[in-house]
């Protein structure tokens, strides 16, 4: 069967900037929307209402459709001071809201049956700052951090909740998380043509809810450095 693919992407961005000598104030708004459609070929499920049941050996070919809808809004305001040799500082606040919805279905014999889908929504607010000083000529020290508070909500789509969350009823709940993420850096310029540097920074992902073959399952957030 035909296996078409479609990817549509919209982006709107607005940036306003103001200078006062060495100070720079920047505010930005952004909106992103994406739609992805995919079709795959495979054997038809024996029971669309029970995806865990193995397809029959003589199952006809079916088309499996997946539609991803993504909507993200971001806003950020920051104040920065730029000095010579990279010295200066920056402080700012950023807000983000992202919603992802995945709907799946099986098409066979001119009929369609919905399969388990999932919706994830993340709301995040971050206060951050970083400063760089030059204690000695050619040596720069940088330190900063990010304080992030995130809220995650998720739920099933196109399936009975009793089936989708059979293995983990708590997967349909919301979760809040607050993290302090530090960063430090060191740079040394022995001459105008060479810079040696090292940087350590931490980040994290808030986790979410994923769609398995038969159930909705949560996955924990993680952090890296």
């Amino acid at each position: 069967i035909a296996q078409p693919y479609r990817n549509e992407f919209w982006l709107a961005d607005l940036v306003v900037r103001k200078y006062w000598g060495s100070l720079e104030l920047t505010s930005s708004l952004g909106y992103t929307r994406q739609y992805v459609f995919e079709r795959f070929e495979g054997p038809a499920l024996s029971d669309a209402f029970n995806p865990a049941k193995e397809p029959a050996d003589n199952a006809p070919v079916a088309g499996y459709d997946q539609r991803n809808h993504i909507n993200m809004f971001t806003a950020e305001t920051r104040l920065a001071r730029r000095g010579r040799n990279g010295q200066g500082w920056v402080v700012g606040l950023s807000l983000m809201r992202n919603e992802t919805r995945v709907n799946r279905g099986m098409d066979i014999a001119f009929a369609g049956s919905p399969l388990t889908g999932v919706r994830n929504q993340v709301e995040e607010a971050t206060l951050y700052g970083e400063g760089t000083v030059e204690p000695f000529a050619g040596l720069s020290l940088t330190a900063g951090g990010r304080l992030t508070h995130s809220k995650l909500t998720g739920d099933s789509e196109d399936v009975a909740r009793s089936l989708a969350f059979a293995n983990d009823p708590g997967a349909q709940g919301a979760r809040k998380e607050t993290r302090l993420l530090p960063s430090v850096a060191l740079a040394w310029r022995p001459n105008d043509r060479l810079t040696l540097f090292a940087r350590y920074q931490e980040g994290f992902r808030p986790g979410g809810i994923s769609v398995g073959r038969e159930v909705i399952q949560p996955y924990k957030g993680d952090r890296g450095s």
Side-chain angles (χ1 to χ4, degrees):
I1 62 174
Q3 301 180 53
Y5 172 82
R6 181 180 179 184
N7 191 339
E8 298 178 356
F9 185 87
W10 297 265
L11 173 64
D13 191 29
L14 174 65
V15 179
V16 179
R17 186 173 286 113
K18 175 68 175 178
Y19 295 94
W20 295 278
S22 60
L23 291 177
E24 176 187 338
L25 178 66
T26 304
S27 291
S28 64
L29 295 173
Y31 174 74
T32 303
R33 179 182 175 189
Q34 187 175 16
Y35 170 75
V36 180
F37 171 81
E38 301 171 280
R39 169 167 285 192
F40 306 96
E41 179 181 310
L45 297 178
S46 302
D47 185 352
F49 296 98
N50 183 15
K53 188 176 181 180
E54 292 292 336
D57 293 336
N58 60 345
V61 172
Y64 292 89
D65 297 339
Q66 179 168 289
R67 293 173 171 84
N68 291 49
H69 302 264
I70 302 171
N71 289 278
M72 183 172 68
F73 173 81
T74 60
E76 181 178 9
T77 297
R78 66 179 183 267
L79 180 66
R81 184 180 185 276
R82 302 180 185 276
R84 63 181 184 86
N85 298 329
Q87 296 182 78
W89 49 264
V90 59
V91 293
L93 172 68
S94 68
L95 304 173
M96 185 271 290
R97 182 182 184 275
N98 183 74
E99 183 181 65
T100 302
R101 191 174 76 252
V102 180
N103 298 103
R104 305 188 305 164
M106 177 183 67
D107 289 329
I108 181 174
F110 306 103
S113 298
L115 300 176
T116 305
V118 67
R119 179 190 64 85
N120 277 310
Q121 179 175 302
V122 177
E123 297 175 348
E124 190 174 282
T126 299
L127 180 65
Y128 63 90
E130 189 171 84
T132 300
V133 297
E134 189 179 35
F136 307 103
L139 179 66
S140 297
L141 300 177
T142 302
R146 301 171 63 89
L147 179 62
T148 298
H149 177 76
S150 63
K151 177 183 177 182
L152 169 70
T153 58
D155 208 344
S156 61
E157 294 272 327
D158 304 319
V159 72
R161 296 165 80 87
S162 59
L163 173 62
F165 296 99
N167 288 354
D168 191 347
Q172 54 194 326
R175 183 169 67 248
K176 295 181 180 180
E177 196 170 9
T178 301
R179 295 288 186 93
L180 178 61
L181 308 168
S183 62
V184 293
L186 172 68
W188 177 50
R189 296 180 300 277
N191 55 59
D192 294 337
R193 301 182 60 184
L194 178 64
T195 299
L196 303 176
F197 69 94
R199 182 175 179 88
Y200 174 84
Q201 183 171 347
E202 293 187 1
F204 86 105
R205 294 180 296 183
I209 293 178
S210 64
V211 55
R213 181 178 172 188
E214 64 274 3
V215 295
I216 296 292
Q217 295 178 327
Y219 59 92
K220 296 181 179 180
D222 58 9
R223 63 187 300 167
S225 58

